[in-house]
Amino acid sequence: MAMTKEKLKRNPKTMRNIGILSMELERMLSSDYGYCSDTILDYSTGVPRAQGITGFDCGRYQLKQDRLQRLMEESNEVKDWIESITDDTIRHVFYQKHIEGKSWKKIAKVIGMSGKEDYVRLHIHDDYLRKCGMK
């Protein structure tokens, strides 16, 4: 699948969601959070009796696992695309913005262009997106 500006833009949030889902899955396995209870009618004696049942919620676990897998695939696609950028400065700008989620001001400072965050955004980041046909 081709890289899009939207994927790049949402990747910092995607990475936060990966962390959250990973913690939820771990909590489901290591605590009572993954268990649910329900009531059924038990007819084993011929007369319906309410019985409580408790068990691990495999359906909810699998939904979270599937979502985590999709998010990880998308995030890895973004990382791979950024790693394929041959220019070190451009790659570093994209990494800091779309992987680490840093502000343009912080990125400009890191690459030695303090006070020139507009230049970094417009002439390094956005020009590269235009070159790739994404702007």
Side-chain angles (χ1 to χ4, degrees):
M1 187 177 245
M3 184 52 55
T4 64
K5 185 177 164 184
E6 291 75 27
K7 280 184 191 177
L8 286 169
K9 192 173 184 176
R10 73 175 170 250
N11 194 60
K13 183 179 178 183
T14 298
M15 293 183 66
R16 282 190 303 275
N17 287 340
I18 287 170
I20 291 167
L21 278 170
S22 296
M23 286 187 297
E24 286 180 355
L25 288 167
E26 179 61 33
R27 195 169 95 197
M28 285 182 81
L29 292 173
S30 64
S31 71
D32 291 343
Y33 178 70
Y35 287 84
C36 63
S37 60
D38 201 357
T39 304
I40 62 167
L41 291 177
D42 180 6
Y43 289 93
S44 62
T45 61
V47 180
R49 291 183 323 179
Q51 293 281 327
I53 59 168
T54 304
F56 188 76
D57 192 346
C58 293
R60 188 173 68 168
Y61 184 84
Q62 191 60 49
L63 286 173
K64 288 180 184 286
Q65 188 73 32
D66 292 345
R67 175 148 171 74
L68 177 63
Q69 186 64 35
R70 285 192 307 273
L71 291 175
M72 288 176 74
E73 287 171 3
E74 184 173 311
S75 184
N76 286 336
E77 184 180 346
V78 170
K79 287 177 187 175
D80 291 344
W81 185 83
I82 290 172
E83 285 299 319
S84 73
I85 298 172
T86 55
D87 185 281
D88 296 334
T89 303
I90 295 171
R91 184 176 56 252
H92 191 68
V93 167
F94 273 85
Y95 186 85
Q96 296 230 339
K97 184 65 180 171
H98 300 292
I99 302 297
E100 295 183 358
K102 289 189 178 176
S103 69
W104 291 115
K105 187 174 185 173
K106 287 182 181 178
I107 295 169
K109 185 177 180 179
V110 167
I111 65 168
M113 300 182 109
S114 292
K116 297 181 180 181
E117 53 267 10
D118 288 340
Y119 180 85
V120 173
R121 179 177 50 83
L122 295 171
H123 296 290
I124 296 177
H125 183 272
D126 291 357
D127 282 354
Y128 190 78
L129 288 178
R130 262 190 288 288
K131 179 182 165 191
C132 295
M134 284 191 256
K135 191 92 176 156

